[in-house]
Amino acid sequence: MRKPLIAGNWKMNKTVSESIDFINSIKDIKNDCVEGLVCVPYTSLTEVKKSLEGSDIKLGAQNMHYEDNGAYTGEISPLMLKDIGVEYVIIGHSERREYYNETDQTVNKKVKKAFEIGIKPIVCVGESLEERESKKTEEKIKKQIEEGLKDLKEEDLKDLVIAYEPIWAIGTGKTATSDQANDTIKFIRESLKSIYGDVSEKVRIQYGGSVKPENIKELMSKSDIDGALVGGASLKKDDFEALINY
Ligand code: 13P
């Protein structure tokens, strides 16, 4: 019922020419059972959009501002993304929360703006190692869901994607076990259900954190994992192809 979404988050990697070369190497990858997506740096969006013409792979950004325009030096407006033809945007990645002071409140503003403008948000949630070890995972995630996803329109939920990314598993080579990931994702859906009811069944919830060709099959075999948000492994052609064709 929920089509898996396998998304690459390139983070701050690839110049425009490197992006074009990479897209040309992956644009013919096709798996009718999976939605494939690349979330590329702002500077590459326009050229990647052109290079993806005719491809099944979709285009996403990694962040956006919550205002349409104004005096926000260095920021990118949702209207600019929409104008390029961006379909998805990552919101509230843990790196943005950690290094750029993003909060559940700014996440909430951005998510609402994304829906208003017609871009599908991929909202990241997840706990630190300290929080997991002190058994605060559920408390942390519940707060991120309640505050970051508050006051959404029910009809928008079908276009919402949540990425569960335990911070301790990002770029560390440590993956949550597939059971840990599945259990936390179930908890996320229950939390969402307590706010929005059955429409929450339509929301796709991905896992992210050291996903690679070697562990994707196991993760995707779990009942509640609807895809993956992948950093490092999405930058290599063979790995990205193996992920889409898990
Ligand atoms: P890695 O796959 O490199 O661990 O990154 C995960 C991530 O942060 C995706 O958004």
Side-chain angles (χ1 to χ4, degrees), residues 9 11 90 93 95 165 169-172 208-211 229-233:
N9 173 10
K11 308 192 180 184
I90 298 172
H93 191 281
E95 287 151 13
E165 298 206 311
I170 296 177
T172 58
S210 299
V211 177
L229 185 56
V230 187

Side-chain angles (χ1 to χ4, degrees), residues 81-95:
L81 299 183
K82 186 72 184 172
D83 182 52
I84 292 171
V86 165
E87 203 172 319
Y88 286 88
V89 62
I90 298 172
I91 305 276
H93 191 281
S94 60
E95 287 151 13

